[in-house]
């Protein structure tokens, strides 16, 4: 499949961007991203995202049943809420079936609430991130893509930080679209971007490699028989705070059955990770840009390309003529 909507959008002269995520179509990260893209008046904006939170579902797909796509109102965008996974949404959104034959030039997955560094994006070890899976699905089908996550920390982060995280990433989106138009963008990678907690004082962009950081997830016995609505990375946002939104409903004991739920046991960060890795750089205040391939490891020549490309990133932040 080829992304070819520059021809489709020739009448407006605007490239087409598809937005998806794993937190669900109503998530603040996606809403802020779409609002900014629409307000820029430089893109044709499409949205195809899960109708409910699908955090941590990895690269799973829906096969045995049909998915429902319901058109929803998002000002300035064509948007559908889908009863499927992030991979389903990315696949459907780029298929040409949902948007009357239109294939986006770029897929942006996010903005996720919580970082996606290290083993959370690795096919070789663990694949927890639905955000990265949405971008990877587009990449596997020949459509350039970006995954964006903000390192939300309870007690420190607020909604304004999330908005700033979206603004910080706009020059990267512009740069990728310009390179695509010039046919100079490498085909062997997609980008995984993580924005630091103190986004207002970030130290700049940095090309990084995948490290070994991950959240260790265990189990605990419970009597609660209702699903939690928070992700494995963070709880959901309510106003400017983070709250646990699990319903406190106690089920009747089930004969001969035990109930268990997932729980975060500890964070793991190998000290052997060097200063070029994603999590180390993120925790030290950088906006990390990690080129990934189908198996999370990317081609060496692509890393060299992106390091050179990063030097010119500021050129794309203000000028709309390059698109």
């Amino acid at each position: 499949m080829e992304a070819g909507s520059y021809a489709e959008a020739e009448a407006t002269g605007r490239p087409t961007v598809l937005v998806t995520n794993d937190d669900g179509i109503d998530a603040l990260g996606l809403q802020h991203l779409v609002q900014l893209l629409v307000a820029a008046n430089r893109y044709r904006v499409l949205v195809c995202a899960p109708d409910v939170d699908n955090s941590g579902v990895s690269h799973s797909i829906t096969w045995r049943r049909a998915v429902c796509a319901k058109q929803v109102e998002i000002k300035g965008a064509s948007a559908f809420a889908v009863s499927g996974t992030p991979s389903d949404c990315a696949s459907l959104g780029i298929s040409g079936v949902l948007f009357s034959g239109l294939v986006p030039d770029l897929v942006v997955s996010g903005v996720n609430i919580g970082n996606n560094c290290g083993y959370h994006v690795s096919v070789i070890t663990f694949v927890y991130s639905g955000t990265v899976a949405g971008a990877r699905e587009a990449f596997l089908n020949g459509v350039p893509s970006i995954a964006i996550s903000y390192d939300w920390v309870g007690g420190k982060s607020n909604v304004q930080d999330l908005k700033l995280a979206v603004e910080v990433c706009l020059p990267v989106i512009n740069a990728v679209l310009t390179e695509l138009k010039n046919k100079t963008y490498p085909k062997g990678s997609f980008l995984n971007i993580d924005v630091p907690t103190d986004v207002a004082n970030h130290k700049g962009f940095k090309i990084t490699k995948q490290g070994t950081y991950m959240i260790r997830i265990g189990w605990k016995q419970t009597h609660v028989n209702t699903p939690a609505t928070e992700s494995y990375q963070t709880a959901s946002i309510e106003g400017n705070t983070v709250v646990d939104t699990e319903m406190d409903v106690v089920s009747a004991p089930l004969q001969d059955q035990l109930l268990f739920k997932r729980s975060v046991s500890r964070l793991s960060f190998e000290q052997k990770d060097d200063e070029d890795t994603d999590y180390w750089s993120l925790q030290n205040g950088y906006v990390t840009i990690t080129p990934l391939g189908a198996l999370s490891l990317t081609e060496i020549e692509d890393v060299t390309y992106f390091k050179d490309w990063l030097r010119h990133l500021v050129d794309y932040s203000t000028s709309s003529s390059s698109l």
Side-chain angles (χ1 to χ4, degrees):
M1 180 185 300
E2 284 191 17
S5 63
Y6 276 106
E8 294 281 351
E10 187 175 358
T12 62
R14 295 181 297 175
T16 301
V17 178
L18 172 71
V19 178
T20 190
N21 72 348
D22 71 350
D23 292 329
I25 198 163
D26 294 323
L28 288 177
L30 180 143
Q31 293 289 329
H32 290 327
L33 174 59
V34 173
Q35 289 170 10
L36 184 63
L37 292 174
V38 170
N41 198 31
R42 300 167 67 174
Y43 326 94
R44 180 172 182 174
V45 183
L46 311 177
V47 181
C48 184
D51 55 1
V52 295
D53 189 350
N54 272 254
S55 297
V57 302
S58 179
H59 206 118
S60 60
I61 64 171
T62 303
W63 180 257
R64 295 183 179 276
R65 60 176 175 82
V67 298
C68 173
K70 180 181 179 181
Q71 192 158 16
V72 296
E73 182 66 27
I74 299 181
K75 186 177 180 180
S78 299
F80 286 87
V82 176
S83 62
T85 67
S87 298
D88 291 332
C89 294
S91 178
L92 181 60
I94 66 176
S95 68
V97 175
L98 187 63
F99 294 106
S100 303
L102 185 62
V103 177
D105 298 288
L106 179 68
V107 171
V108 181
S109 184
V111 173
N112 189 66
I113 308 299
N115 77 71
N116 274 305
C117 294
Y119 283 167
H120 292 288
V121 302
S122 173
V123 176
I124 297 173
T125 49
F126 299 93
V127 183
Y128 288 157
S129 174
T131 302
V132 176
R136 186 189 296 111
E137 179 69 20
F139 167 74
L140 290 173
N141 286 277
V143 179
S145 59
I146 302 171
I148 303 176
S149 303
Y150 167 64
D151 191 21
W152 180 282
V153 173
K156 294 183 179 180
S157 302
N158 57 52
V159 175
Q160 183 59 33
D161 291 329
L162 190 59
K163 293 179 180 179
L164 288 176
V166 175
E167 295 175 5
V168 163
C169 293
L170 188 59
V172 181
I173 295 172
N174 293 339
V176 170
L177 286 168
T178 298
E179 296 294 299
L180 288 170
K181 184 177 182 181
N182 295 335
K183 302 186 185 302
T184 53
Y185 191 77
K187 296 182 178 180
S189 305
F190 67 99
L191 299 181
N192 183 40
I193 302 175
D194 283 279
V195 181
T197 305
D198 187 10
V199 56
N201 297 300
H202 73 84
K203 296 180 180 178
F205 297 95
K206 183 178 179 181
I207 301 297
T208 55
K209 61 185 180 181
Q210 182 187 341
T212 61
Y213 162 82
M214 72 174 297
I215 299 174
R216 299 289 180 179
I217 301 178
W219 294 91
K220 66 179 181 180
Q221 191 170 354
T222 182
H223 296 291
V224 178
N225 199 21
T226 53
T229 57
E230 77 274 14
S231 74
Y232 66 95
Q233 298 155 309
T234 179
S236 29
I237 300 176
E238 185 176 279
N240 291 346
T241 62
V242 176
V243 295
D244 186 333
T245 55
E246 183 177 35
M247 297 174 62
D248 188 17
V249 177
V250 179
S251 64
L254 301 176
Q255 187 175 3
D256 299 326
Q257 293 186 21
L258 299 174
L259 296 177
F260 296 89
K261 65 178 292 185
R262 292 280 194 176
S263 63
V264 175
S265 57
R266 63 186 176 89
L267 303 182
S268 174
F269 178 41
E270 299 293 340
Q271 293 302 316
K272 65 181 180 181
D273 281 358
D274 59 39
E275 297 181 7
D276 289 331
T277 55
D278 48 8
Y279 187 72
W280 188 97
S281 300
L282 180 70
Q283 295 305 302
N284 281 274
Y286 292 95
V287 179
T288 66
I289 304 176
T290 308
L292 299 175
L295 296 178
S296 291
L297 302 177
T298 193
E299 301 294 333
I300 297 299
E301 56 266 30
D302 284 359
V303 173
T304 302
Y305 169 88
F306 282 116
K307 285 184 176 181
D308 180 66
W309 167 83
L310 190 60
R311 298 188 185 99
H312 306 286
L313 190 59
V314 67
D315 298 338
Y316 303 105
S317 61
T318 56
S319 174
S320 60
S321 60
S322 60
L323 296 180

